[in-house]
Amino acid sequence: MDLLHNTVQPYDWGSRTLLPELMGVPPTGAPHAELWMGAHPAAPSRVLRDGVPVPLDRLIAEDPERELGAVTVRRFGPRLPFLLKLLAAEAPLSVQVHPDLAQAQAGFARENALGVPLDAPDRNYRDDQHKPEMIVALTPFRGLCGFRSPADTADLLDSLKVPELRPYIETLRVVPERQALAEVFRAFLRPPAGLLDAVAQGLAAGAGAALVTAYDRIARAHPGDPGILSALMLRYVELSPGEALFLGAGVPHAYLSGLGVEIMASSDNVLRCGLTSKHVDAEELIRVVRFDAPPARVLVPRKEGEEEAYPAPVDDFRLSRYRLRAGETRRRVTLDAPQILLCASGTTTVFSSGDSCVIGPGQAVYVPAGTDARLEGAGTVFRAATGTAQRLD
């Protein structure tokens, strides 16, 4: 068991207060957007060995089977297949979508064959992995997730009273769903001159309505960005603390504000639709986006023994939480797979192999596969593991 020393990512959309408040440290005035916990090579967590910090990815590479367990290595190779984060958004993130596994493998091979450097700003695929993800709200959390129905989008656009939107509204009302979403989405990626300004004015004028106000804030945060139009096609979602969203391949989404625990497959593959200064590849984006509008599914945890698990249809990760009460029997949390235990509130002591470590909000420990681990304290602890993990009783 090791206490993790983690990197804070200072992305400009990050909150300046939410993470410092959670962790009980003074704000610096800089944005604290994400706290990364895992072995992603871009910012691996560090553990101490003889007083020397060692990156977790290097520790795993030196003895994958001991750290990850035989089952994990057979399924995912010699790497930690998930990345855990605390995410704190103050401004909208980019509207983005992730490929499925086959698309990632094909895209990665294609760009390698073309000789596109891995760190090139116009590269779409930086690895050959998919990137499903889940966000669990710790505070009220707002985001965009998937397409709303064409009829609902047509009603929203109509409410803005922008004449230039009339052709798109007509398409959304009369063309079959998938075709309508694809046609309007593609057109919005390259809008005609004047449309963005007209829409921004329509949003400002209609900002008394709650839904319009949410999109008006996006437009004010990213003036002149075509992603404003893409965002108008997406379903607005508000999560209460403890509720979650799962985001699979091809689903356009953007987080807007709030603090949450995020877990994802360990990948860098992001295709952006807008609300960003980064590369947007419209043609590749169209190939990856799923043009359908299923109902929004807000997830709540389900009781599984002493923990509450958030269901996800992938085996790269599994996220659950323990709500501990003072004086309760110490809870055993041993698995045959690696796990990261993150304290979200209160104080928890993790006991392992004769050792112990006290963690408070925002602190986490890494527990190798097969290592005996127990929890005691009062508060909430999130557990990240693989979806293939089995309990060792």
Side-chain angles (χ1 to χ4, degrees):
M1 177 186 67
D2 292 280
L3 179 67
L4 293 177
H5 300 267
N6 305 306
T7 298
V8 174
Q9 303 287 11
Y11 307 137
D12 57 7
W13 49 260
S15 169
R16 287 155 173 77
T17 59
L18 287 173
L19 266 179
E21 286 174 358
L22 177 78
M23 301 175 74
V25 299
T28 65
H32 290 62
E34 294 180 345
L35 182 73
W36 286 26
M37 291 158 280
H40 194 289
S45 300
R46 282 110 34 225
V47 301
L48 292 181
R49 287 288 185 270
D50 299 321
V52 178
V54 178
L56 186 57
D57 58 341
R58 194 173 91 194
L59 186 71
I60 290 171
E62 289 171 352
D63 195 343
E65 197 147 313
R66 177 172 64 85
E67 299 294 333
L68 306 177
V71 172
T72 299
V73 172
R74 281 198 302 271
R75 171 64 183 86
F76 301 103
R79 65 185 186 90
L80 189 67
F82 62 83
L83 176 63
L84 184 67
K85 300 179 181 180
L86 280 168
L87 182 147
E90 187 173 283
L93 283 68
S94 61
V95 179
Q96 57 189 259
V97 68
H98 307 302
D100 63 26
L101 190 57
Q103 291 165 337
Q105 291 171 341
F108 185 68
R110 182 172 62 250
E111 292 185 333
N112 283 349
L114 292 171
V116 183
L118 281 176
D119 59 353
D122 60 346
R123 175 137 190 163
N124 293 315
Y125 298 96
R126 302 187 186 278
D127 54 64
D128 61 356
Q129 297 296 318
H130 63 167
K131 194 185 178 186
E133 61 188 52
M134 178 184 289
I135 186 81
V136 178
L138 294 180
T139 67
F141 195 93
R142 299 165 184 84
L144 306 175
C145 178
F147 290 107
R148 67 162 59 82
S149 73
D152 286 347
T153 297
D155 289 345
L156 174 61
L157 297 183
D158 203 18
S159 74
L160 301 182
K161 298 179 171 49
V162 176
E164 293 90 337
L165 287 173
R166 182 55 49 196
Y168 310 105
I169 294 170
E170 185 68 15
T171 298
L172 290 165
R173 293 207 190 283
V174 302
V175 175
E177 180 178 286
R178 290 176 184 270
Q179 182 183 345
L181 292 174
E183 285 186 12
V184 175
F185 185 80
R186 180 187 286 273
F188 279 178
L189 291 174
R190 297 193 180 95
L195 180 58
L196 279 170
D197 287 343
V199 167
Q201 292 170 17
L203 287 169
L211 183 60
V212 175
T213 297
Y215 291 99
D216 180 52
R217 287 176 182 151
I218 295 172
R220 291 177 186 276
H222 293 273
D225 191 306
I228 297 165
L229 300 174
S230 301
L232 285 165
M233 299 184 69
L234 305 186
R235 185 181 290 109
Y236 176 70
V237 180
E238 292 186 348
L239 300 179
S240 297
E243 294 180 332
L245 285 174
F246 173 80
L247 300 158
V251 177
H253 60 277
Y255 301 142
L256 303 178
S257 66
L259 175 67
V261 176
E262 185 181 35
I263 190 167
M264 60 183 61
S266 191
S267 169
D268 267 341
N269 289 325
V270 179
L271 291 116
R272 295 174 177 85
C273 313
L275 307 186
T276 180
S277 59
K278 295 182 178 179
H279 176 60
V280 175
D281 184 335
E283 294 308 312
E284 187 63 20
L285 191 62
I286 294 297
R287 281 195 284 270
V288 170
V289 172
R290 283 178 45 194
F291 291 105
D292 55 17
R297 255 193 89 207
V298 174
L299 304 175
V300 294
R302 62 190 182 200
K303 190 76 171 171
E304 294 186 5
E306 294 183 320
E307 65 180 338
E308 298 171 319
Y310 289 89
V314 295
D315 60 5
D316 305 74
F317 59 78
R318 178 180 182 274
L319 186 66
S320 59
R321 71 179 181 185
Y322 289 88
R323 292 196 279 184
L324 307 170
R325 294 177 178 83
E328 288 185 337
T329 304
R330 193 179 299 175
R331 301 193 189 186
R332 191 175 187 216
V333 295
T334 309
L335 296 176
D336 68 351
Q339 56 183 315
I340 293 176
L341 303 171
L342 165 67
C343 182
S345 67
T347 302
T348 300
T349 303
V350 185
F351 298 88
S352 178
S353 304
D355 195 9
S356 65
C357 181
V358 178
I359 53 175
Q363 293 182 306
V365 297
Y366 164 75
V367 182
T371 302
D372 187 63
R374 299 169 191 266
L375 301 177
E376 189 174 274
T380 302
V381 174
F382 282 84
R383 172 161 76 175
T386 68
T388 60
Q390 298 293 318
R391 296 177 64 90
L392 294 178
D393 295 322

